[in-house]
Amino acid sequence: MTPRDAIFDSLTRNAFDFLARGIAEFDESPKYSVIHFCAAVEMLLKARLMREHWSLIVSKPEQANLAKFMAGDFVSVTLEDARARLRDVASEDIGDDAYASFRALANHRNKMVHFFHNALENDEKTKAQIVAEHCRSWFHLHRLLTRWDGYFHDFGSEIAHADRAMKGHRKYLAAKFKALKPELAAARKARNAPKVCSACGFKSAIPDALDHQIASLRCLVCDHVETQVELECPHCDKPIVIANDGFITCEQCGESIEPKHLAEALTDHGAAHIAMMDGDDSWQPINCGNCEDYHTVVRRGEHYFCTNCFEISNHIEQCEWCGEYNTGDMEHSYFAGCSVCDGKAGWEKDD
Ligand SMILES: [Zn+2]
Ligand SMILES: [Zn+2]
Ligand SMILES: [Zn+2]
Ligand SMILES: [Zn+2]
């Protein structure tokens, strides 16, 4: 193991230790639970950044010094910069929902560190809020760790252990779930039956359905928002539910499911064929203006759904430079290009 690998290993191991503590010590000390849980999230993002280059976890990479780094003598990157660097250097956008959940955790941590509120932190409402924040953050973190399996494959048992511990952690939300029973029953009566929330596990996510397979949901227990797709696994044909991410492993057969499988399964091939005969390209795969992925967006009736980032859009536009269809704003595309081209500016640069 090189010294840099050893630092990655030690940082990651430490992160899982903090995470386990953050969950285990919740009952006795919500304050330390918030602090440790939040540190664990930040450490795991830093560990991923480190796999690109060690200097990226130093606040000013241009002043990074390897000897000081190895001695642990450096100011480390903020959450905001970590997100930006992951996006710019590693082309890994953690997503707005994930960032918002990590940010909420950090804000809570800062409050806990700066103000002494013994009574407040033990209040039932605050405790439920903390567990809700943990559930939302773990949902996103777990998803990222699965996506980054190539880097964290040695930590499979730590990840599984944390996931089990988080499932136990959810019990602190039971009182809130119980209090919401009338509201959930009303939703059921209005034919808008709550679904299982992927973050807290309670059947308390109210759907806002796009069609019979795709719905955006907001959980009344933990405030988690997600987009769920219900389909038959392309490998084993069993019914599955996928939330927020096109890269998953089927729980039924263990095969991996990627955006291209989802795009295939969600495309209305009949409509696409008829539209194409009429010269209408809008039923063909489209590029995503949100995650900038190629041909991951499929048309669903009057809406467009990205099978990679799960964004739902209601219109598409052609890039003024290359003519490809994209979701999102194409206003300056003649010069700046789109998700798949560099526009006139890039063309002139190459010339
Ligand atoms: Zn929930
Ligand atoms: Zn399957
Ligand atoms: Zn997308
Ligand atoms: Zn273009």
Side-chain angles (χ1 to χ4, degrees):
M1 201 186 272
T2 68
R4 279 167 227 178
D5 285 343
I7 292 192
F8 169 80
D9 196 74
S10 140
L11 179 61
T12 308
R13 228 161 264 296
N14 219 7
F16 283 113
D17 184 42
F18 271 61
L19 190 62
R21 271 166 195 265
I23 301 166
E25 68 203 353
F26 172 74
D27 213 17
E28 288 153 54
S29 172
K31 176 158 78 182
Y32 289 104
S33 167
V34 168
I35 292 169
H36 286 142
F37 199 102
C38 185
V41 171
E42 294 180 347
M43 285 153 92
L44 287 168
L45 294 180
K46 284 179 204 168
R48 172 64 189 86
L49 258 183
M50 231 197 118
R51 294 278 86 172
E52 296 300 315
H53 195 265
W54 63 269
S55 67
L56 292 169
I57 71 170
V58 177
S59 122
K60 293 196 173 99
E62 64 279 13
Q63 293 171 15
N65 172 305
L66 185 58
K68 281 189 171 175
F69 177 78
M70 295 305 245
D73 176 18
F74 63 94
V75 178
S76 75
V77 64
T78 62
L79 184 60
E80 193 185 357
D81 286 344
R83 180 194 186 179
R85 287 177 196 177
L86 278 169
R87 192 181 47 217
D88 300 343
V89 183
S91 300
E92 290 275 7
D93 190 10
I94 64 170
D96 290 340
D97 292 339
Y99 182 71
S101 74
F102 300 157
R103 191 70 258 166
L105 211 60
N107 290 346
H108 206 148
R109 184 260 323 267
N110 295 347
K111 242 186 252 170
M112 292 275 187
V113 169
H114 296 121
F115 305 100
F116 186 77
H117 280 311
N118 204 15
L120 210 65
E121 79 173 71
N122 285 306
D123 156 58
E124 283 309 312
K125 233 177 115 185
T126 309
K127 279 179 128 179
Q129 190 198 336
I130 293 170
V131 175
E133 280 168 5
H134 287 176
C135 286
R136 295 200 305 266
S137 288
W138 175 245
F139 169 83
H140 292 293
L141 189 63
H142 193 197
R143 195 177 58 104
L144 291 170
L145 292 171
T146 310
R147 203 205 289 174
W148 298 336
D149 179 52
Y151 303 95
F152 292 98
H153 53 82
D154 289 346
F155 295 90
S157 68
E158 282 82 358
I159 295 170
H161 181 267
D163 198 44
R164 271 196 307 276
M166 276 308 298
K167 289 202 165 108
H169 201 36
R170 294 165 171 181
K171 67 174 179 276
Y172 296 100
L173 292 170
K176 192 165 178 198
F177 177 64
K178 227 171 147 186
L180 284 163
K181 283 240 159 113
E183 225 173 301
L184 294 168
R188 213 169 290 123
K189 236 176 147 183
R191 293 177 177 272
N192 205 20
K195 298 188 181 230
V196 175
C197 167
S198 307
C200 72
F202 288 97
K203 212 171 185 171
S204 49
I206 306 290
D208 179 4
L210 179 71
D211 54 43
H212 67 287
Q213 280 182 288
I214 304 171
S216 317
L217 305 110
R218 174 175 286 279
C219 175
L220 297 184
V221 168
C222 75
D223 287 325
H224 173 68
V225 279
E226 66 184 52
T227 301
Q228 287 187 358
V229 176
E230 294 180 5
L231 76 165
E232 275 152 17
C233 169
H235 308 292
C236 69
D237 291 330
K238 295 213 173 88
I240 50 168
V241 177
I242 301 179
N244 272 34
D245 198 345
F247 287 92
I248 66 143
T249 312
C250 171
E251 279 187 11
Q252 306 284 344
C253 68
E255 292 286 331
S256 60
I257 298 172
E258 293 177 17
K260 61 172 189 220
H261 297 121
L262 276 179
E264 174 64 23
L266 294 172
T267 296
D268 184 338
H269 294 280
H273 186 72
I274 294 166
M276 202 153 84
M277 308 279 268
D278 288 340
D280 172 5
D281 289 341
S282 67
W283 288 86
Q284 299 301 317
I286 295 154
N287 306 315
C288 180
N290 185 48
C291 67
E292 308 213 314
D293 221 336
Y294 178 70
H295 283 185
T296 50
V297 177
V298 295
R299 181 162 172 183
R300 303 286 296 178
E302 294 308 305
H303 291 85
Y304 300 88
F305 174 73
C306 176
T307 54
N308 181 54
C309 70
F310 281 36
E311 195 193 53
I312 298 168
S313 336
N314 47 28
H315 84 287
I316 52 169
E317 279 175 51
Q318 262 180 310
C319 170
E320 292 165 350
W321 182 252
C322 73
E324 285 262 344
Y325 276 108
N326 287 270
T327 58
D329 189 5
M330 287 290 110
E331 205 195 317
H332 302 293
S333 56
Y334 185 77
F335 265 99
C338 65
S339 51
V340 295
C341 81
D342 293 322
K344 190 168 193 282
W347 186 69
E348 279 174 348
K349 207 169 66 194
D350 289 343
D351 220 21

